[in-house]
Amino acid sequence: MLFKQQALLRQKLFVLGSLAIGSLLYLVARVGSLDRLQPLCPIDGRFGPRGQDEIPLRALQFKRGLLHEFRKGNATKEQIRLHNLVQQLPKAIIIGVRKGGTRALLEMLNLHPAVVKASQEIHFFDNDENYAKGIEWYRKKMPFSYPHQITIEKSPAYFITEEVPERIYKMNSSIKLLIIVREPTTRAISDYTQVLEGKERKNKTYYKFEKLAIDPNTCEVNTKYKAVRTSIYTKHLERWLKYFPIEQFHIVDGDRLITEPLPELQLVEKFLNLPPRISQYNLYFNATRGFYCLRFNIVFNKCLAGSKGRIHPEVDTSVITKLRRFFHPFNQKFYQITGRTFNWP
């Protein structure tokens, strides 16, 4: 009996040993042939060829610290070469309007992993001295980016400066142009408020809005006042249309961008032919600040500067009514040209 049990145990051990040796031999043979075999589903094949449609995730966006060094000018030429970074001319420009929300729009678009923004207003096309420095000077003012990304800059003075449309056309006749507008009277008061704050900071006196916006001799709207003139959107747009077709413009609702930013950003993504990447996760309402802030990832959030959302001074209601009546026919023409209607009074 004992002899039979020992024989059975030896038989089981032999079978197990044979299986182990066989598995080991198979693994050796398999490893030896791996370099000769092509994987059935290569990673590159799943995502298509590398190129313009390949958009990296913001969470992996090329080491934020390193990009920060590039922007400060501290990166070496070797680092730039190794990371395949370039300074590209913008493929889209936010051309205006002043106090329409250009900074907010630029920062929000920068949430998209395929967008890289110029941090400062370049004022290349509206400043004769800068423009005389040439297009290469302008390009070197752009941030470092990857070839598949698009660079965007914003200089709201572009919209109202006469020479700018032709100058931009000479650089790139197919460039995409973004205009962000607000209700014209509100925008004019916001414009005044910013200038007023600057005067007060320097302990200077300044006229009331009513005195600037209304001509005291005629009691009519003072079209020589820059804040009023800027809000006549259709007059400026008509000058741009001499060089660019309306299809190359996208009108952003600046009032809606404040209260409901995501739908406006999704429209811009579509206009720029970008895959949808900005989501509600990236935007959260800050009750203390009173407007939306940006969330790039789990650790990096950003709110606009404290100067945004200034409290406007009280303006005589009769002046507001007069301004709205003045802007009304211009607004109607603006709706007609752009194909976008706003509920402006």
Side-chain angles (χ1 to χ4, degrees), residues 34-211:
L34 279 179
D35 60 342
R36 299 191 301 272
L37 296 175
Q38 293 295 326
L40 294 176
C41 184
I43 292 177
D44 286 345
R46 277 182 285 163
F47 291 93
R50 293 179 65 87
Q52 188 133 0
D53 293 333
E54 184 178 345
I55 307 298
L57 294 176
R58 170 68 66 172
L60 302 175
Q61 195 182 6
F62 333 122
K63 303 176 183 176
R64 277 195 176 276
L66 185 58
L67 270 181
H68 183 60
E69 292 301 305
F70 291 149
R71 293 187 182 114
K72 291 194 303 181
N74 295 340
T76 66
K77 289 183 179 179
E78 182 64 15
Q79 285 177 313
I80 294 170
R81 185 187 67 78
L82 287 173
H83 286 267
N84 194 31
L85 291 167
V86 290
Q87 287 173 293
Q88 304 182 80
L89 289 172
K91 293 186 176 71
I93 301 178
I94 301 172
I95 59 174
V97 299
R98 173 181 163 91
K99 305 312 300 171
T102 57
R103 172 56 60 182
L105 177 60
L106 184 69
E107 297 292 343
M108 289 177 178
L109 288 179
N110 194 49
L111 289 164
H112 198 291
V115 172
V116 179
K117 68 178 177 69
S119 298
Q120 303 298 321
E121 292 180 11
I122 311 299
H123 288 286
F124 176 63
F125 298 103
D126 67 306
N127 184 297
D128 292 340
E129 185 179 340
N130 287 342
Y131 189 69
K133 294 175 183 176
I135 202 72
E136 189 62 17
W137 177 88
Y138 179 57
R139 188 181 66 79
K140 288 183 178 179
K141 289 291 182 181
M142 295 299 128
F144 285 97
S145 62
Y146 282 75
H148 69 267
Q149 294 177 306
I150 67 170
T151 298
I152 296 180
E153 76 125 322
K154 73 102 175 174
S155 293
Y158 289 168
F159 185 58
I160 64 171
T161 306
E162 290 188 12
E163 300 83 2
V164 172
E166 182 178 6
R167 289 175 175 179
I168 292 182
Y169 180 85
K170 287 179 178 178
M171 179 192 73
N172 182 358
S173 61
S174 62
I175 196 164
K176 292 181 180 290
L177 302 165
L178 294 161
I179 305 171
I180 179 167
V181 294
R182 296 186 67 193
E183 191 276 313
T185 302
T186 302
R187 194 223 63 83
I189 296 172
S190 181
D191 197 329
Y192 167 83
T193 304
Q194 178 171 295
V195 176
L196 175 65
E197 184 181 276
K199 297 286 186 181
E200 291 176 339
R201 203 162 42 238
K202 297 175 183 177
N203 294 318
K204 293 183 177 181
T205 57
Y206 197 51
Y207 293 112
K208 291 186 69 175
F209 176 79
E210 291 88 338
K211 190 170 184 178

Side-chain angles (χ1 to χ4, degrees), residues 143-284:
F144 285 97
S145 62
Y146 282 75
H148 69 267
Q149 294 177 306
I150 67 170
T151 298
I152 296 180
E153 76 125 322
K154 73 102 175 174
S155 293
Y158 289 168
F159 185 58
I160 64 171
T161 306
E162 290 188 12
E163 300 83 2
V164 172
E166 182 178 6
R167 289 175 175 179
I168 292 182
Y169 180 85
K170 287 179 178 178
M171 179 192 73
N172 182 358
S173 61
S174 62
I175 196 164
K176 292 181 180 290
L177 302 165
L178 294 161
I179 305 171
I180 179 167
V181 294
R182 296 186 67 193
E183 191 276 313
T185 302
T186 302
R187 194 223 63 83
I189 296 172
S190 181
D191 197 329
Y192 167 83
T193 304
Q194 178 171 295
V195 176
L196 175 65
E197 184 181 276
K199 297 286 186 181
E200 291 176 339
R201 203 162 42 238
K202 297 175 183 177
N203 294 318
K204 293 183 177 181
T205 57
Y206 197 51
Y207 293 112
K208 291 186 69 175
F209 176 79
E210 291 88 338
K211 190 170 184 178
L212 294 168
I214 304 298
D215 187 324
N217 297 319
T218 64
C219 292
E220 297 299 327
V221 173
N222 179 15
T223 55
K224 294 181 180 179
Y225 178 39
K226 187 177 179 180
V228 169
R229 215 165 53 244
T230 300
S231 285
I232 308 174
Y233 303 139
T234 185
K235 289 291 187 183
H236 306 294
L237 181 58
E238 285 172 347
R239 186 172 57 252
W240 283 85
L241 290 173
K242 293 176 183 177
Y243 294 91
F244 300 96
I246 193 63
E247 292 77 20
Q248 281 177 233
F249 296 87
H250 178 71
I251 310 301
V252 179
D253 185 341
D255 294 309
R256 191 184 184 201
L257 193 73
I258 296 170
T259 60
E260 196 180 1
L262 185 58
E264 285 300 313
L265 295 173
Q266 289 172 334
L267 289 174
V268 178
E269 284 180 323
K270 186 176 180 180
F271 172 70
L272 296 176
N273 296 320
L274 294 172
R277 290 291 184 273
I278 302 173
S279 68
Q280 197 62 57
Y281 169 81
N282 301 118
L283 303 157
Y284 67 96

Side-chain angles (χ1 to χ4, degrees), residues 278-312:
I278 302 173
S279 68
Q280 197 62 57
Y281 169 81
N282 301 118
L283 303 157
Y284 67 96
F285 187 77
N286 186 313
T288 304
R289 302 294 297 278
F291 48 78
Y292 280 86
C293 294
L294 317 179
R295 181 187 290 115
F296 288 87
N297 53 46
I298 196 169
V299 295
F300 185 65
N301 298 342
K302 181 177 183 178
C303 284
L304 297 178
S307 61
K308 305 300 178 184
R310 296 180 181 90
I311 297 175
H312 293 178

